[in-house]
Structure formats: structure tokens, C-alpha cells
Amino acid sequence: MATSVFDSAIQDELNLPRLPVPGRKMTPSPEDWRDIWIYFLMVDRFNNPISPPNSLPGIAYDAKFGGYQGGTIEGIRQKLGYLKELGVGAIWFTPVLKNCRFLNGAPNDGSYHGYGFQDFLKVEPRLCSDPSKADEELQALVDEAHGLGIYIILDIVLNHAGDVFSYPSGSEASYSDTALEIYWRDAHGNSRPDWMVGENVPSPPDDATVFPDELRRNEFFRRQGTAKSGGPETIGDFCSLKQLLTGNHELGNILIRSFQYLIAKYDIDGFRIDTLKYLDRDFALRFGNAIREFALSIGKKNFFTYGEVYDDEQKISQFIGRNVSATGDIVGVDASLDFPLFFRLPGMLKGMVPPSEIVDMYQVRKDVEKNVVSSHGEASRYFVTFLDNHDQHQRFYFSSSDDPHRFDDQVTMGLACLFSLPGIPCIYYGTEQGLHGMGDSDQNVREALWGKPQAFDPDHPFYGMIRSISKVRQEHPALRYGRFYFRPISGDGFHFGISPFAGGVLAFSRILNDQEVVVIVNTGSQSGFAGSLIVDSSLNPAGSKFEILFSNNGSPTKPAPAMLTGQAEIHEIGGQISAGPCIALPVSLKAMEIQILGRPIG
């Protein structure tokens, strides 16, 4: 049966601002998204309460595997209590919209990740315990999560559809300067040479071509094959996933209406937008604004959108918020995944990148983002920060067979650092249970978590440590909202500066009103650090005592009282050198230790 965004039932949903569904009330969004942190999971790889992973027996739960493992939306729902106890405030999960079911007459098992939409309005039955009740299963998850105070973020795709048509050469074609001939696929995934023009395909069944009906137009797709070698990476199909021409205004309207429908139908709280940088920039701006305004009109204040811009600060600034120096008053997507931080932070925490590179990155960001605002204010304060994800070839946690727990402190150090930096922290599923996949493919980090022995163990040390870190962040508002300053450190009490070498020490402060919270991270994996760091003299006079709010070490050394240094040589972040006096806080850390320090209140 054909599906259209203009069908009466869908129109009723889309018209909620004017004609609300009787008794339906939208769940309020968080007042400030920095008050929560995000847990990111792959639906197919998280949990199935009734069946083991499809790869078992014979293949380990964490082995490289490229098909459906069997995780379900219901499997997520049944672990909401586990996630709530961990401290999770929002769940972002991989796409749950319907993907191409068949390809060339065979089951399309490679679509387990969910990023190849065939129907932009329906839930994927293969991700459900009962495929006939896919809508109900997603709604039950959202409703129960909301009842626990957990928000739901859908992963969505605007840049491309699935492998909904073929070229004469097959699923992929070499780049062409002009649009190529295409054959739309039937319900079995076979290309139909008699289906060359989408709008002329006669009443295709649900598993054929692409839905809603309005999307089935050749002119909405690029049809030029894969990106040109040496040319712009944003022009061309994403492997076999067919690129949409998002610069087409009519197509943009259809996509906007489709995703507005999902918000209204399921009471969704946010969107993570896949491959945002591949979109037409004007459409990206229009989409972000249209989604926000629609959400506001149906009572969902502060709906949150953030995009994947796998690039540098300059590219990110082109796709988020609004540049105040430019004309127009439309505010686009709220924030971005923090890839510039990801490119450096894991390496620094592992002792391979000097802390000075993190400092330099934030200095560049300050300059690039100075004219960019989002609906929340300063856009970068809402960047979603992370240490690893499903697109990498290895997780942050490294566990060797000969000494599996050697780098456990490195993991907890990294997580505590992530939770203390500006932004909204995001943890990749299974981190709390010690998953440590690595290899030559992203499949190595897409483990079937529920296949692990004691997969959801609340007594796992990482689970307990994350719960503690989350609690500290919640109890100290400065870690969520505070102004952010890097702090020069010293090993001799005289020369102060930012660590310029790998395996060094990173120190920074978060200041909110009259409270300064100090974070110091020793990234050295073998040696401790004993020295001092500069703190704010107007807030902390000599003799001020700091207490340890958090340490990932079981027996941390308490800092001595802050002291006045009469003479000092301070190498400032901008390159200037100044002399003392200054207020310095003496600290002592073991290898791979982080301390979060604050003054007693009252």
C-alpha cells in the first residue's frame, strides 16, 4: 500500500499545532541539554531479551560480523532501568526507519546499521521483537523512557536513501558528470529496466523503490555514481547508498515534513543528523530551523538537533547555528558532534598527543565560532563530545591479552575528563562493561553486547565509576555551565606553562559565579606528577583548601592548601611570558590519574 506524507492520517499528525490529537501531550525537553549526558547504542547490537546473537554459536559475540545480530527496540526498553541507574539522561540510537529488505533477490543483511532508508516514515520490522507491531514497540520505548526521565534522540539521514535503484552496472557506478540511467528496484530488490522513471512506477509494493511516494522522483537523486576521484567528496553516492539532491526545495519540504511527522507521532526529543556536511548548506539551515519551530508549535520546547560534520572547526561553523555577521534570521542545526576534540583528546589521554594540542584546538575554536550562535546561545557549549563511536576501528579502551587491566585507569581518567570539559558528554554502548574491540573494520567495535557473559553487570568497575562521575557532574553545576580556562602547571614551583610533550599533564578550571572547580589529568602511563597549578586569585586566596570531588585512583593524595608564589615565570597560552606573584595549588597524582577538585561550600 502506497504511503504519502499527504495521506489524511499523516496529515492529521503533521497538523498537530492546529488540530492536536485529543489527549496527546508532548513531553517537555530538558531546560538545558548540558544537564544530561547521552548514551549512544546500535539497536541491532545492544540487546535481545529472547534470543542470543545470530552469530552464535561458532562466532564470538565481539568478533567482526556484518549482518543482523538480532538486537531489538524491545531489548532497549527492557534495559532502561539499567541505563537510568548508570546515570544516562538521553539515549541516541542508530536509525530505526525501514531499510531495503532485499537486494538482488537475497536478504539485505548488510543494512543492520540502519543508515539506508527505503521508507522514511515506517519503523524497521527487523529491529522489533514482533515485526507486526513495530510502531507500538518504538512508542513503548519512548513512553517508558520518558517516564524514567530519559530523553530519546533519533539518528536520521537526509543525505541519501538506501540502495533503492541500480545503475546498469549494478549498485554502484563510476562517477559521471551527468545523470546516469537508473532502474528502480522491486520488492525483491531486483532492478527493473522497465522502471526507469520513479514517478511512473505503477503502485509499487511496500518493499519496492522508496517511500513516501513523493520521494520517488528521479530528479530528487543525484544519479552520478560515486564521488569523483580527486573531486568534492560531497558530490556522489555514499557507496551503494543513493545521494539525494537536498538543494531541491521541493525535496527539502518532503524531508522536513517526514521528520516532523516522526516527532509528532512518537514524541521524539532530538535528532542526530547523519553526514550533515554532505547536505546543501541552505537546506541544512532550513531543516534545523523548521524542525525547531515545528517542535515549539506542538509544545516540545528546546528540541535538540546536532549533526555529524566529520571535519575541522571551519567546516562545522558553516553548518550550525547562525553567523551573526551574515544576513537573515534563521537559526539552523543547534550543535555538532565534536570531531575536532575527538581527533586529539583520545590521543592525548593515551599519552601520544601533548596537552598543548588540546589547548590550541580550543583557541582555534574560540576564533572560528566567535560569530556563531545557536538557539541556545554559544553553539560550541552544546557540542556532543565523545571518545569513540561505531565508525572507528577501535574503541578507546585497550585491553591486551597479557595484561588485560593495565589501562583500566586510562578509561576512567578519559571518561572523567570528558565529563568535565564543555559540551554534552556521550558514551558509546558497552564502555561501562569493558568492551574493547579493535581491528581493521568498524565491525570490530560493533559488538553484540548481550552475548557477553554478564553483559549488563551493575557491579562492573567501569559501570560503577561512570555512575560516580555522573553524580559528581550533576552535583557541581560548574562542570556543566562554568566558564572554561586552561591552567598553567609547574613541576618546580617557578616555571609555569602548558605541557608541550606527549604523556604530559592537562589542567583546566570551570568557574561558575564564585565557585572554581579544578580538573587535573596526568596522562603519563608510568610516572606520577607532583607539582602545582595556577588557580584564580580572586576566588582562592592563599591558604584556600581544596577537596577531592572525584579521583579514579583508590588512594588519591589530597592537595595541599593554595599558596602565594612570590616569584614565577608564567608562559601564557597566547605566547606571552609574565611574572608572579600567583596563587598556586600543590597537587600530586599517580600515573593515569585524574582529580576533580573543589573548595568546600559553606
Side-chain angles (χ1 to χ4, degrees), residues 304-315:
F304 187 49
T305 55
Y306 60 100
E308 178 193 25
V309 184
Y310 201 110
D311 216 306
D312 58 18
E313 301 286 352
Q314 287 77 12
K315 179 65 73 173

Side-chain angles (χ1 to χ4, degrees), residues 140 175 242 363 394 410 450 570:
Y175 178 81
K242 304 305 191 289
Q363 287 299 106
Q394 66 179 51
Q410 194 174 76
W450 81 99
I570 305 170

Side-chain angles (χ1 to χ4, degrees), residues 54 65-68 99-112 124 126 163 171 185-190 207:
N54 290 333
F65 188 71
Y68 279 89
N99 277 225
C100 298
R101 186 177 177 189
F102 296 100
L103 184 62
N104 298 323
N108 182 24
D109 289 340
S111 66
Y112 70 91
E124 172 57 70
R126 287 170 289 185
D163 192 356
S171 289
R185 295 189 185 277
D186 64 18
H188 300 287
N190 295 313
D207 291 334

Side-chain angles (χ1 to χ4, degrees), residues 350 352 388 394-411 434-439 462 592:
K350 289 177 178 290
M352 297 182 292
D388 51 15
Q394 66 179 51
R395 286 178 177 261
F396 179 75
Y397 180 32
F398 177 72
S399 178
S400 62
S401 57
D402 59 335
D403 190 359
H405 297 291
R406 179 185 175 189
F407 292 103
D408 285 12
D409 285 346
Q410 194 174 76
V411 175
L435 293 190
H436 53 274
M438 64 179 298
F462 288 172
M592 296 184 290

Side-chain angles (χ1 to χ4, degrees), residues 16-322:
L16 273 172
R18 299 173 293 280
L19 185 63
V21 174
R24 181 67 181 272
K25 184 177 180 181
M26 296 289 105
T27 302
S29 302
E31 289 185 14
D32 193 312
W33 280 86
R34 293 172 296 179
D35 288 333
I36 58 96
W37 60 271
I38 299 170
Y39 185 91
F40 170 45
L41 62 85
M42 298 194 72
V43 181
D44 178 64
R45 303 302 170 92
F46 182 68
N47 183 41
N48 184 323
I50 59 176
S51 299
N54 290 333
S55 62
L56 298 174
I59 300 178
Y61 75 92
D62 57 352
K64 185 166 67 172
F65 188 71
Y68 279 89
Q69 287 280 31
T72 61
I73 295 170
E74 172 64 13
I76 302 170
R77 189 191 68 80
Q78 293 198 19
K79 291 301 176 185
L80 286 174
Y82 162 90
L83 296 174
K84 179 66 175 179
E85 182 65 22
L86 183 62
V88 171
I91 304 171
W92 152 33
F93 45 78
T94 46
V96 293
L97 296 183
K98 186 181 175 186
N99 277 225
C100 298
R101 186 177 177 189
F102 296 100
L103 184 62
N104 298 323
N108 182 24
D109 289 340
S111 66
Y112 70 91
H113 49 68
Y115 290 96
F117 296 171
Q118 184 260 336
D119 193 320
F120 283 66
L121 297 176
K122 291 184 178 179
V123 177
E124 172 57 70
R126 287 170 289 185
L127 297 177
C128 299
S129 297
D130 183 347
S132 69
K133 297 182 178 179
D135 283 359
E136 292 94 327
E137 201 159 305
L138 178 58
Q139 191 65 70
L141 168 63
V142 175
D143 290 346
E144 189 164 328
H146 284 163
L148 292 171
I150 297 175
Y151 300 94
I152 295 296
I153 300 170
L154 286 191
D155 204 329
I156 66 170
V157 184
L158 301 172
N159 172 64
H160 54 258
D163 192 356
V164 295
F165 60 74
S166 76
Y167 298 101
S169 59
S171 289
E172 300 181 38
S174 299
Y175 178 81
S176 169
D177 288 328
T178 57
L180 297 167
E181 185 176 86
I182 63 168
Y183 309 144
W184 292 87
R185 295 189 185 277
D186 64 18
H188 300 287
N190 295 313
S191 58
R192 293 281 297 268
D194 57 328
W195 287 3
M196 295 179 63
V197 181
E199 49 266 52
N200 294 339
V201 176
S203 302
D206 288 349
D207 291 334
T209 67
V210 68
F211 289 92
D213 293 329
E214 288 82 5
L215 285 179
R216 200 177 312 114
R217 288 170 55 177
N218 291 28
E219 67 195 75
F220 288 165
F221 292 82
R222 186 171 295 280
R223 295 170 290 138
Q224 291 178 237
T226 55
K228 183 178 182 180
S229 178
E233 62 176 345
T234 57
I235 298 178
D237 296 337
F238 198 76
C239 297
S240 65
L241 306 177
K242 304 305 191 289
Q243 187 173 38
L244 291 160
L245 286 170
T246 52
N248 184 298
H249 196 83
E250 187 176 354
L251 168 64
N253 288 341
I254 295 167
L255 292 173
I256 287 169
R257 297 187 71 169
S258 295
F259 288 105
Q260 288 174 339
Y261 163 65
L262 294 176
I263 297 171
K265 181 171 184 179
Y266 297 107
D267 195 11
I268 302 302
D269 304 296
F271 286 152
R272 179 267 189 182
I273 305 169
D274 183 66
T275 57
L276 178 64
K277 79 168 186 175
Y278 290 85
L279 304 183
D280 174 81
R281 283 178 57 192
D282 288 340
F283 171 66
L285 181 73
R286 188 160 65 96
F287 181 85
N289 197 78
I291 291 298
R292 179 186 310 105
E293 292 188 354
F294 175 79
L296 284 168
S297 71
I298 62 172
K300 289 196 75 74
K301 299 176 182 178
N302 214 16
F303 188 91
F304 187 49
T305 55
Y306 60 100
E308 178 193 25
V309 184
Y310 201 110
D311 216 306
D312 58 18
E313 301 286 352
Q314 287 77 12
K315 179 65 73 173
I316 288 174
S317 70
Q318 298 173 19
F319 284 88
I320 60 171
R322 177 173 71 90

Side-chain angles (χ1 to χ4, degrees), residues 407-459:
F407 292 103
D408 285 12
D409 285 346
Q410 194 174 76
V411 175
T412 53
M413 173 186 69
L415 292 169
C417 184
L418 191 75
F419 272 54
S420 303
L421 288 166
I424 303 168
C426 178
I427 293 181
Y428 188 38
Y429 82 99
T431 299
E432 77 283 2
Q433 295 296 332
L435 293 190
H436 53 274
M438 64 179 298
D440 60 356
S441 166
D442 54 22
Q443 293 177 18
N444 293 104
V445 301
R446 299 178 175 187
E447 304 95 326
L449 174 58
W450 81 99
K452 179 182 184 290
Q454 293 183 289
F456 300 99
D457 179 12
D459 295 322

